[in-house]
Coordinates of all heavy atoms in Angstrom, one line a residue:
A99 N 134.5 104.6 30.7 CA 133.1 104.9 31.0 C 132.8 104.5 32.5 O 132.0 105.1 33.1 CB 132.1 104.1 30.1
A100 N 133.4 103.5 33.0 CA 133.1 103.0 34.4 C 134.0 103.7 35.4 O 133.6 103.8 36.6 CB 133.3 101.5 34.5
S101 N 135.2 104.2 35.1 CA 136.1 104.7 36.1 C 135.5 106.0 36.7 O 135.7 106.2 37.9 CB 137.4 105.0 35.4 OG 137.2 105.9 34.3
P102 N 134.8 106.9 36.0 CA 134.2 108.0 36.8 C 133.2 107.6 37.8 O 133.1 108.3 38.8 CB 133.6 108.9 35.7 CG 134.2 108.5 34.4 CD 134.6 107.0 34.6
A103 N 132.5 106.5 37.6 CA 131.5 106.1 38.6 C 132.1 105.4 39.8 O 131.5 105.4 40.8 CB 130.5 105.2 37.9
T104 N 133.3 104.8 39.6 CA 133.8 104.0 40.7 C 134.9 104.7 41.4 O 135.1 104.6 42.6 CB 134.4 102.7 40.1 OG1 135.3 103.0 39.1 CG2 133.2 101.9 39.5
T105 N 135.8 105.5 40.7 CA 137.0 106.0 41.3 C 136.9 107.5 41.5 O 137.6 108.1 42.3 CB 138.2 105.7 40.5 OG1 138.1 106.2 39.2 CG2 138.4 104.2 40.5
A106 N 136.1 108.2 40.7 CA 136.1 109.7 40.7 C 135.0 110.2 41.7 O 134.7 111.4 41.7 CB 135.9 110.2 39.3
A107 N 134.3 109.3 42.4 CA 133.2 109.7 43.2 C 133.7 110.6 44.3 O 133.0 111.6 44.6 CB 132.5 108.5 43.8
P108 N 134.9 110.4 45.0 CA 135.3 111.4 46.0 C 135.6 112.8 45.4 O 135.8 113.7 46.2 CB 136.5 110.7 46.6 CG 136.4 109.3 46.3 CD 135.8 109.3 44.9
H109 N 135.9 112.9 44.1 CA 136.4 114.2 43.6 C 135.4 114.9 42.8 O 135.5 116.1 42.6 CB 137.7 113.9 42.7 CG 138.7 113.2 43.5 ND1 139.6 113.8 44.4 CD2 139.1 111.8 43.5 CE1 140.4 112.9 44.9 NE2 140.1 111.7 44.4
L110 N 134.4 114.2 42.2 CA 133.4 114.9 41.3 C 132.1 115.1 42.2 O 131.8 114.3 43.0 CB 133.1 114.0 40.1 CG 134.2 113.9 39.1 CD1 133.8 113.0 37.9 CD2 134.7 115.3 38.6
P111 N 131.4 116.1 41.9 CA 130.1 116.3 42.7 C 129.1 115.2 42.4 O 128.9 114.9 41.2 CB 129.7 117.7 42.2 CG 130.3 117.9 40.8 CD 131.6 117.2 40.9
Q112 N 128.5 114.7 43.4 CA 127.5 113.6 43.3 C 126.1 114.2 43.1 O 125.8 115.3 43.5 CB 127.5 112.7 44.5 CG 128.9 112.1 44.9 CD 129.2 111.1 43.8 OE1 128.3 110.4 43.3 NE2 130.5 111.0 43.5
A113 N 125.3 113.5 42.3 CA 123.9 113.9 42.1 C 123.2 113.8 43.5 O 123.3 112.8 44.2 CB 123.2 113.1 41.1
P114 N 122.4 114.9 43.8 CA 121.7 114.8 45.1 C 120.6 113.8 45.1 O 120.1 113.4 44.0 CB 121.1 116.2 45.2 CG 121.0 116.7 43.8 CD 122.2 116.1 43.1
P115 N 120.3 113.2 46.3 CA 119.2 112.2 46.3 C 117.9 112.8 46.0 O 117.7 114.1 46.2 CB 119.3 111.7 47.8 CG 119.9 112.8 48.5 CD 120.9 113.4 47.6
P116 N 116.9 112.1 45.6 CA 115.6 112.7 45.3 C 115.0 113.3 46.5 O 115.0 112.7 47.6 CB 114.8 111.5 44.7 CG 115.5 110.3 45.3 CD 117.0 110.6 45.3
R117 N 114.4 114.4 46.4 CA 113.8 115.1 47.5 C 112.5 114.5 47.9 O 111.7 114.1 47.0 CB 113.6 116.6 47.2 CG 114.9 117.4 46.9 CD 114.7 118.8 46.6 NE 114.1 119.4 47.8 CZ 113.7 120.7 47.8 NH1 113.8 121.5 46.8 NH2 113.2 121.2 48.9
Q118 N 112.3 114.4 49.2 CA 111.0 113.8 49.7 C 110.2 114.9 50.3 O 110.8 115.9 50.9 CB 111.3 112.7 50.7 CG 112.1 111.5 50.1 CD 112.4 110.5 51.2 OE1 112.0 110.7 52.3 NE2 112.9 109.4 50.8
A119 N 108.9 114.8 50.3 CA 108.1 115.8 50.9 C 108.2 115.7 52.4 O 108.2 114.6 53.0 CB 106.6 115.5 50.5
P120 N 108.3 116.9 53.0 CA 108.4 116.9 54.5 C 107.1 116.4 55.1 O 106.0 116.5 54.6 CB 108.6 118.4 54.8 CG 108.0 119.1 53.7 CD 108.2 118.2 52.5
P121 N 107.3 115.7 56.3 CA 106.1 115.2 57.0 C 105.2 116.4 57.4 O 105.7 117.4 57.7 CB 106.6 114.5 58.2 CG 108.0 115.1 58.4 CD 108.5 115.4 57.1
P122 N 103.9 116.1 57.4 CA 103.0 117.3 57.7 C 103.2 117.6 59.2 O 103.3 116.8 60.1 CB 101.6 116.7 57.5 CG 101.8 115.2 57.5 CD 103.2 114.9 57.0
H123 N 103.2 118.9 59.4 CA 103.4 119.4 60.8 C 102.1 119.4 61.5 O 101.1 119.8 61.0 CB 103.9 120.9 60.7 CG 104.3 121.4 62.1 ND1 105.3 120.9 62.9 CD2 103.8 122.4 62.8 CE1 105.4 121.5 64.0 NE2 104.5 122.5 64.0
P124 N 102.1 118.9 62.8 CA 100.8 118.8 63.5 C 100.1 120.1 63.6 O 98.9 120.2 63.6 CB 101.1 118.2 64.8 CG 102.5 117.5 64.6 CD 103.2 118.3 63.6
G125 N 100.9 121.2 63.8 CA 100.2 122.5 64.0 C 100.2 123.4 62.8 O 100.0 124.6 62.9
G126 N 100.6 122.8 61.6 CA 100.7 123.6 60.4 C 99.3 124.1 60.0 O 98.3 123.4 60.1
P127 N 99.2 125.3 59.5 CA 97.9 125.9 59.1 C 97.3 125.2 57.8 O 96.1 125.3 57.6 CB 98.2 127.4 58.9 CG 99.6 127.4 58.5 CD 100.3 126.3 59.2
W128 N 98.2 124.6 57.0 CA 97.7 124.1 55.7 C 97.6 122.6 55.7 O 97.1 122.0 54.8 CB 98.6 124.5 54.6 CG 98.8 126.0 54.6 CD1 99.9 126.7 54.8 CD2 97.8 127.0 54.3 NE1 99.8 128.0 54.8 CE2 98.4 128.3 54.4 CE3 96.4 127.0 54.0 CZ2 97.8 129.5 54.3 CZ3 95.8 128.2 53.8 CH2 96.4 129.4 54.0
Q129 N 98.1 121.9 56.7 CA 98.0 120.4 56.8 C 97.0 120.0 57.8 O 96.8 120.7 58.9 CB 99.4 119.8 57.1 CG 100.4 120.0 56.0 CD 101.1 121.3 56.1 OE1 101.0 122.0 57.1 NE2 101.9 121.6 55.1
P130 N 96.3 118.9 57.6 CA 95.4 118.4 58.6 C 96.2 117.8 59.8 O 97.4 117.4 59.6 CB 94.7 117.2 57.9 CG 95.6 116.8 56.8 CD 96.3 118.1 56.4
P131 N 95.7 117.9 61.0 CA 96.4 117.4 62.2 C 96.7 115.9 62.1 O 95.9 115.2 61.6 CB 95.5 117.7 63.4 CG 94.1 117.8 62.8 CD 94.3 118.4 61.4
V132 N 97.9 115.6 62.5 CA 98.3 114.2 62.5 C 97.7 113.5 63.8 O 97.9 113.9 64.9 CB 99.8 114.0 62.5 CG1 100.3 112.6 62.5 CG2 100.4 114.7 61.3
R133 N 97.0 112.4 63.6 CA 96.3 111.7 64.7 C 97.3 110.6 65.1 O 97.6 109.7 64.4 CB 95.0 111.1 64.3 CG 93.9 112.2 64.0 CD 92.6 111.6 63.7 NE 91.5 112.6 63.6 CZ 90.3 112.3 63.3 NH1 89.9 111.1 63.3 NH2 89.4 113.3 63.2
R134 N 97.7 110.7 66.3 CA 98.6 109.6 66.9 C 97.7 108.7 67.7 O 96.7 109.1 68.3 CB 99.6 110.2 67.8 CG 100.6 111.2 67.0 CD 101.7 111.7 68.0 NE 102.7 112.5 67.3 CZ 102.5 113.8 67.0 NH1 101.4 114.4 67.4 NH2 103.4 114.5 66.4
P135 N 98.0 107.4 67.7 CA 97.2 106.4 68.5 C 97.3 106.8 70.0 O 98.3 107.1 70.5 CB 97.9 105.1 68.2 CG 99.3 105.4 67.7 CD 99.2 106.8 67.0
S136 N 96.1 106.7 70.6 CA 96.1 107.1 72.0 C 96.6 105.9 72.9 O 96.9 104.8 72.4 CB 94.6 107.4 72.4 OG 93.8 106.2 72.2
A137 N 96.8 106.2 74.2 CA 97.3 105.2 75.1 C 96.3 104.0 75.2 O 96.8 102.9 75.6 CB 97.6 105.8 76.4
T138 N 95.0 104.3 75.0 CA 94.1 103.2 75.2 C 93.6 102.6 73.8 O 92.6 101.9 73.8 CB 92.8 103.7 75.9 OG1 92.3 104.8 75.1 CG2 93.2 104.3 77.3
A139 N 94.4 102.8 72.8 CA 94.0 102.3 71.4 C 93.9 100.8 71.4 O 93.0 100.2 70.8 CB 95.0 102.8 70.4
K140 N 94.9 100.1 72.1 CA 94.9 98.7 72.1 C 93.7 98.1 72.9 O 93.4 96.9 72.8 CB 96.2 98.2 72.6 CG 96.5 98.6 74.1 CD 97.8 98.0 74.6 CE 98.0 98.4 76.0 NZ 99.3 97.8 76.5
L141 N 93.1 98.9 73.8 CA 92.0 98.4 74.6 C 90.7 98.6 73.9 O 89.6 98.1 74.4 CB 92.0 99.2 75.9 CG 93.3 99.1 76.7 CD1 93.1 100.0 78.0 CD2 93.7 97.7 77.1
R142 N 90.6 99.4 72.8 CA 89.3 99.7 72.2 C 89.0 98.6 71.1 O 89.8 98.3 70.3 CB 89.4 101.0 71.5 CG 89.7 102.2 72.5 CD 89.8 103.5 71.8 NE 90.1 104.6 72.7 CZ 89.3 105.2 73.5 NH1 88.0 104.9 73.5 NH2 89.7 106.1 74.3
P143 N 87.8 98.1 71.1 CA 87.4 97.2 70.1 C 87.1 98.0 68.8 O 87.1 99.2 68.7 CB 86.1 96.6 70.7 CG 85.6 97.6 71.6 CD 86.7 98.4 72.1
A144 N 86.7 97.2 67.8 CA 86.3 97.8 66.5 C 85.0 98.6 66.7 O 84.2 98.3 67.5 CB 86.2 96.8 65.4
A145 N 84.9 99.6 65.8 CA 83.7 100.5 65.9 C 82.5 99.7 65.6 O 82.5 98.9 64.6 CB 83.9 101.7 65.0
P146 N 81.4 99.8 66.3 CA 80.2 99.1 66.0 C 79.5 99.6 64.8 O 79.7 100.8 64.4 CB 79.3 99.2 67.3 CG 79.8 100.6 67.8 CD 81.2 100.7 67.5
P147 N 78.5 98.9 64.2 CA 77.7 99.5 63.1 C 76.8 100.6 63.6 O 76.7 100.8 64.8 CB 76.9 98.3 62.7 CG 76.9 97.3 63.8 CD 78.2 97.5 64.5
P148 N 76.3 101.4 62.7 CA 75.5 102.6 63.2 C 74.4 102.1 64.1 O 73.9 101.0 64.1 CB 75.0 103.2 61.8 CG 76.0 102.7 60.8 CD 76.5 101.4 61.3
A149 N 73.9 103.1 64.9 CA 72.9 102.8 65.9 C 71.6 102.3 65.2 O 71.1 102.9 64.3 CB 72.6 104.0 66.7
P150 N 71.0 101.2 65.7 CA 69.8 100.7 65.1 C 68.6 101.6 65.5 O 68.7 102.4 66.4 CB 69.6 99.3 65.7 CG 70.5 99.3 66.9 CD 71.6 100.3 66.7
P151 N 67.4 101.4 64.9 CA 66.3 102.3 65.2 C 65.8 102.2 66.6 O 65.4 103.2 67.2 CB 65.2 101.8 64.2 CG 66.0 101.2 63.1 CD 67.2 100.6 63.7
A152 N 65.8 101.0 67.2 CA 65.4 100.9 68.6 C 66.2 101.7 69.6 O 65.7 102.3 70.5 CB 65.4 99.4 69.0
V153 N 67.5 101.7 69.3 CA 68.4 102.5 70.2 C 68.1 104.0 70.0 O 68.0 104.8 71.0 CB 69.9 102.2 69.8 CG1 70.8 103.1 70.6 CG2 70.2 100.7 70.2
L154 N 67.9 104.4 68.8 CA 67.7 105.9 68.5 C 66.3 106.3 69.2 O 66.2 107.4 69.7 CB 67.6 106.1 67.0 CG 68.9 105.9 66.3 CD1 68.7 106.1 64.8 CD2 70.0 106.8 66.8
A155 N 65.3 105.4 69.1 CA 64.0 105.8 69.8 C 64.2 105.9 71.3 O 63.6 106.8 71.9 CB 63.0 104.7 69.4
A156 N 64.9 104.9 71.9 CA 65.1 105.0 73.4 C 65.9 106.2 73.8 O 65.7 106.8 74.8 CB 65.8 103.7 73.8
V157 N 66.9 106.6 72.9 CA 67.7 107.7 73.2 C 66.9 109.0 73.1 O 67.0 109.9 74.0 CB 68.9 107.8 72.3 CG1 69.6 109.2 72.3 CG2 69.9 106.7 72.6
L158 N 66.1 109.1 72.1 CA 65.2 110.2 72.0 C 64.2 110.4 73.2 O 64.0 111.5 73.7 CB 64.4 110.2 70.7 CG 63.5 111.3 70.3 CD1 64.2 112.6 70.3 CD2 62.7 111.0 69.0
A159 N 63.7 109.2 73.6 CA 62.8 109.2 74.8 C 63.5 109.7 76.0 O 63.0 110.5 76.8 CB 62.2 107.9 75.0
T160 N 64.8 109.3 76.2 CA 65.5 109.8 77.3 C 65.8 111.3 77.3 O 65.6 112.0 78.3 CB 66.9 109.1 77.4 OG1 66.7 107.6 77.4 CG2 67.7 109.4 78.6
A161 N 66.1 111.8 76.1 CA 66.3 113.2 76.0 C 65.0 114.0 76.3 O 65.1 115.0 77.0 CB 66.8 113.6 74.6

Side-chain angles (χ1 to χ4, degrees):
S101 57
T104 55
T105 59
H109 303 281
L110 294 179
Q112 301 292 324
R117 298 183 62 183
Q118 299 180 356
H123 187 63
W128 307 112
Q129 290 87 11
V132 178
R133 293 186 177 181
R134 298 182 176 86
S136 61
T138 60
K140 63 179 181 180
L141 307 177
R142 300 179 185 277
V153 174
L154 296 177
V157 167
L158 181 61
T160 305

